[in-house]
Amino acid sequence: MGITKSRSCFGYPVSIFFIIINEFCERFSYYGMRAILVLYFQRFLRWEDNVATAIYHTFIALCYLTPILGALIADSWLGKFKTIISLSIVYTLGQAVTAISSINDLSDSDHDGNPDNHTLHVILSMMGLVLIAFGTGGIKPCVSAFGGDQFEEHQEKQRNRFFSIFYLAINAGSLISTIVTPILRVQECGIHSKQACYPLAFGVPAALMAVSLIVFVIGSSLYKKVKPQGNIMAEVANCIGFAIKNRFKHRSKEFPKREHWLDWAKEKYDERLITQIKMVVKVMFLYIPLPMFWALFDQQGSRWTLQATTMNGNFGAIEIQPDQMQTVNAILIVIMVPIVDAVVYPLIAKCGFNFTSLKKMTVGMFLASMAFVVAAIVQLQIDKTLPVFPTRNEIQVQILNVGNESLRANFPGQDISVGVNQSSDFLPLDVNNPYVNITYGQQKSTVLNNFVKGFRHSIIIWNSTHITLVNDSLTTKPEKGENGIRFVNSLDQTINITMDGKVYSNISSYEASDYQFFPSGSKTILVSGLCEGHSEKLGFGSAYTYVITKCNGSDLEYNVFTDIPANSVNMALQIPQYFLLTCGEVVFSVTGLEFSYSQAPSNMKSVLQAGWLFTVAVGNIIVLIVAGAGQFSAQWAEYILFAALLLVVCIIFAIMAYYYTYVNPAEIEAQFDDDDNKKKKFGSDPYENSGFSQTQM
């Protein structure tokens, strides 16, 4: 049923333009949402890194398991067109529910900036992600195949070019969305309190998915719609199941062995189908090691993004958000694919090296392994810049001199001098004899007691009579790349301070507030309606103490003391690991799809496509298992473990590839066609005298 001949434009069916626009919008929607997902888990839902990583990879795994369901629905029930329409509606609803789940004011009845019903937001976000997984996974095996259906048999050249344009639309949608949605995320929005604008960052992908659906429906009258022809995957599964069952029934020695275990299906299934399944199973066996590659590849959106939150995103004229670093992969893909195809492969061929598909995939796995070695080296550089915090049985103290004279501080075993408006480093204090002697001018004072084990402390000194001991609440470097700011009041009255919408209430004279946390950039400071000013430009992952010294109208003066230095390792150091991983993707992923297509029988290419996507799902499950079971104290060690695992798998795959014999499915199927013609002509079984064995591939 459907249009027998499509309208054409420049030799192409007009209908494919609607399909390409649909794919661009859908990929924008998916990758835009996915780019900010792990930070949404971490910063809005307040999940720990390991939990955020686990849920992220569970979602990705589900997205790559559901294509099997989509293929079943399309092939045996609704057909590709109705499947795409139905599951796109589910997809759009999922994106909308996820956007609604990120609205802070949905449950913030007391308007304090924090959701009152955290469970509600978690439930809504999980519902949205499940709907998205079924939507995107369900249409994944249908859209490209539906586009291919629009072409006539003689339009092979146009069909091949369509798939190139289709792939470009995927990468264009991915590239643009991973740039745009992180920018939308860092905007501030909200009815009662200003927050990172996750509703807008998720809402735009939801709108693009709605546009994708509308565009696809508009082209409805132009599509060639092929009726569902029955599910080949079900037929393959039934044949394999029958062969295993039949072999088990005839396991005794009285029954002669057969050349291949699938030959035990001959009693029920024809020779052609059995031979085709043998080709599929042969390739599927090679798929066994592949999930390990995807286990590393998909950590760009989780572990590598979290690594970027501990780095400095200042690139001179522009400032990069941690989740925007994923765009490096999309940019490099667009650059590297034509370079590798037009330059690298021809050069290798000129050198006389037979660079087969499986050899390319082996190199891709090796490059991905090396990318994680580089990631571990970068992590070691980051770890060197991290401050050392006290253990549970240690105490650390810093001296902040906000007075008008230099002072001396005497700790057990050491003596230091601190200049005016300067601070000391955090120094260890003897837990058995915790005291600090302060000499300010001619006056001496002793600070003792009130020191708590496992914490840092700040001793703030104005003069010999005004000394304040503050228990610092920070036990780790500020998470998510944010900056901790606290205020000390040197005025002679109690003040309230508002900084970038956050309020520090009732700070008494010569007292300090708790830390509150802010993203990078300069912030507005308002002191009790008395004066207004701006903070220094904040970086990433720092902590500062602001001592208010003067407040009169527009004249706000303060001294700034660094408690924790800002992240100093630049995100540019992640580029080499992205480059290696992208090169690995080019020679692994693109080649793998090409290899699978070339080795699959004409009617089972969808089966291998589903198998290929299944390896991505298994790869994400591997991340869940390793990250959950490992519980590494150092992140670099986890990177090295993944690199070592992939290297071992790479060696195993290279051995498997060495013994693999390439086949030509078209040639084998042509032999069957010839034999079928002979059978019709002569009325006998052609296999009896043809000399052709189904195991000879």
Side-chain angles (χ1 to χ4, degrees), residues 43-44 102 184-189 194-199:
R43 301 185 180 184
F44 187 88
S102 66
L184 299 177
R185 177 186 63 79
V186 298
Q187 307 306 309
E188 292 191 341
C189 61
K194 299 298 181 184
Q195 303 280 341
C197 206
Y198 288 102

Side-chain angles (χ1 to χ4, degrees), residues 2-70:
I3 299 171
T4 56
K5 187 173 182 180
S6 303
R7 298 178 192 174
S8 63
C9 178
F10 301 110
Y12 294 88
V14 174
S15 56
I16 68 159
F17 296 102
F18 292 91
I19 295 171
I20 288 170
I21 295 171
N22 163 271
E23 183 65 12
F24 169 83
C25 294
E26 188 275 326
R27 290 290 86 186
F28 184 108
S29 176
Y30 175 74
Y31 282 107
M33 172 276 305
R34 178 173 151 174
I36 61 172
L37 192 58
V38 75
L39 294 186
Y40 168 69
F41 291 157
Q42 187 198 48
R43 301 185 180 184
F44 187 88
L45 297 182
R46 304 293 178 184
W47 288 344
E48 294 180 353
D49 288 359
N50 285 337
V51 175
T53 299
I55 300 298
Y56 175 86
H57 286 286
T58 301
F59 169 70
I60 302 300
L62 190 58
C63 288
Y64 284 95
L65 286 172
T66 49
I68 298 173
L69 179 63

Side-chain angles (χ1 to χ4, degrees), residues 115-324:
D116 298 327
N117 190 344
H118 183 263
T119 305
L120 173 66
H121 293 272
V122 172
I123 291 173
L124 285 175
S125 61
M126 293 303 101
M127 286 174 55
L129 291 177
V130 169
L131 291 174
I132 291 170
F134 277 94
T136 187
I139 68 175
K140 197 183 291 288
C142 301
V143 178
S144 60
F146 186 70
D149 290 344
Q150 305 308 303
F151 294 87
E152 304 296 336
E153 287 298 323
H154 65 274
Q155 292 181 299
E156 184 178 351
K157 182 179 178 181
Q158 289 91 333
R159 184 188 289 114
N160 290 339
R161 189 163 294 169
F162 159 74
F163 283 116
S164 297
I165 298 170
F166 189 83
Y167 186 73
L168 180 62
I170 292 172
N171 282 283
S174 168
L175 174 60
I176 296 172
S177 65
T178 48
I179 293 173
V180 171
T181 52
I183 293 174
L184 299 177
R185 177 186 63 79
V186 298
Q187 307 306 309
E188 292 191 341
C189 61
I191 300 172
H192 302 292
S193 60
K194 299 298 181 184
Q195 303 280 341
C197 206
Y198 288 102
L200 179 62
F202 283 128
V204 169
L208 262 291
M209 190 57 223
V211 170
S212 172
L213 175 58
I214 292 168
V215 168
F216 189 76
V217 171
I218 289 172
S220 176
S221 62
L222 301 171
Y223 299 135
K224 182 196 292 184
K225 302 165 189 172
V226 180
K227 280 186 176 181
Q229 301 295 316
N231 199 314
I232 189 65
M233 283 198 287
E235 198 172 354
V236 170
N238 290 335
C239 181
I240 292 174
F242 180 81
I244 295 172
K245 184 179 177 181
N246 199 32
R247 176 69 184 93
F248 184 76
K249 281 182 180 179
H250 301 85
R251 62 187 180 274
S252 64
K253 293 182 179 179
E254 61 184 273
F255 297 102
K257 290 184 178 181
R258 300 186 182 181
E259 285 186 278
H260 193 281
W261 62 271
L262 276 168
D263 292 335
W264 290 96
K266 281 182 179 180
E267 283 82 352
K268 186 175 180 180
Y269 295 91
D270 63 58
E271 199 91 9
R272 177 193 289 263
L273 178 65
I274 292 172
T275 302
Q276 290 171 331
I277 294 175
K278 285 179 181 179
M279 287 187 273
V280 169
V281 169
K282 192 178 179 185
V283 177
M284 288 284 198
F285 179 70
L286 277 177
Y287 280 177
I288 293 173
L290 303 190
M292 200 66 225
F293 175 87
W294 299 114
L296 276 69
F297 180 80
D298 278 333
Q299 289 190 57
Q300 293 176 86
S302 57
R303 289 301 197 201
W304 283 14
T305 298
L306 294 175
Q307 183 186 61
T309 64
T310 63
M311 304 175 78
N312 187 339
N314 189 348
F315 281 71
I318 59 173
E319 192 172 273
I320 300 295
Q321 297 300 317
D323 38 2
Q324 285 181 312

Side-chain angles (χ1 to χ4, degrees), residues 598-624:
S598 70
Q599 298 297 289
S602 58
N603 63 333
M604 294 191 185
K605 297 188 186 296
S606 62
V607 177
L608 280 182
Q609 174 71 8
W612 177 267
L613 295 174
F614 183 73
T615 65
V616 183
V618 176
N620 281 273
I621 293 170
I622 290 172
V623 178
L624 296 178

Side-chain angles (χ1 to χ4, degrees), residues 534-690:
H534 292 85
S535 71
E536 295 184 347
K537 186 175 181 180
L538 303 178
F540 298 82
S542 62
Y544 297 100
T545 297
Y546 277 61
V547 180
I548 305 296
T549 57
K550 185 178 180 181
C551 181
N552 183 17
S554 61
D555 189 11
L556 171 65
E557 294 182 7
Y558 55 78
N559 295 324
V560 181
F561 297 89
T562 301
D563 301 330
I564 297 175
N567 298 343
S568 58
V569 178
N570 198 278
M571 289 183 197
L573 283 185
Q574 281 195 319
I575 292 176
Q577 67 201 54
Y578 273 102
F579 176 76
L580 286 170
L581 193 65
T582 303
C583 290
E585 179 189 4
V586 169
V587 295
F588 178 89
S589 181
V590 178
T591 305
L593 286 170
E594 173 195 323
F595 168 78
S596 301
Y597 192 88
S598 70
Q599 298 297 289
S602 58
N603 63 333
M604 294 191 185
K605 297 188 186 296
S606 62
V607 177
L608 280 182
Q609 174 71 8
W612 177 267
L613 295 174
F614 183 73
T615 65
V616 183
V618 176
N620 281 273
I621 293 170
I622 290 172
V623 178
L624 296 178
I625 295 170
V626 174
Q631 298 296 323
F632 295 93
S633 58
Q635 184 57 51
W636 66 266
E638 184 178 299
Y639 290 145
I640 291 295
L641 175 64
F642 275 110
L645 288 173
L646 183 57
L647 195 58
V648 171
V649 168
C650 176
I651 295 169
I652 294 171
F653 181 77
I655 295 170
M656 293 169 66
Y658 179 79
Y659 289 102
Y660 181 85
T661 304
Y662 289 82
V663 299
N664 188 335
E667 216 172 79
I668 295 171
E669 289 176 333
Q671 177 69 54
F672 274 107
D673 290 337
D674 289 343
D675 291 338
D676 286 343
N677 292 332
K678 289 178 183 178
K679 186 174 183 179
K680 289 177 183 177
K681 185 175 181 180
F682 298 109
S684 61
D685 188 351
Y687 297 116
E688 291 179 359
N689 303 310
S690 68

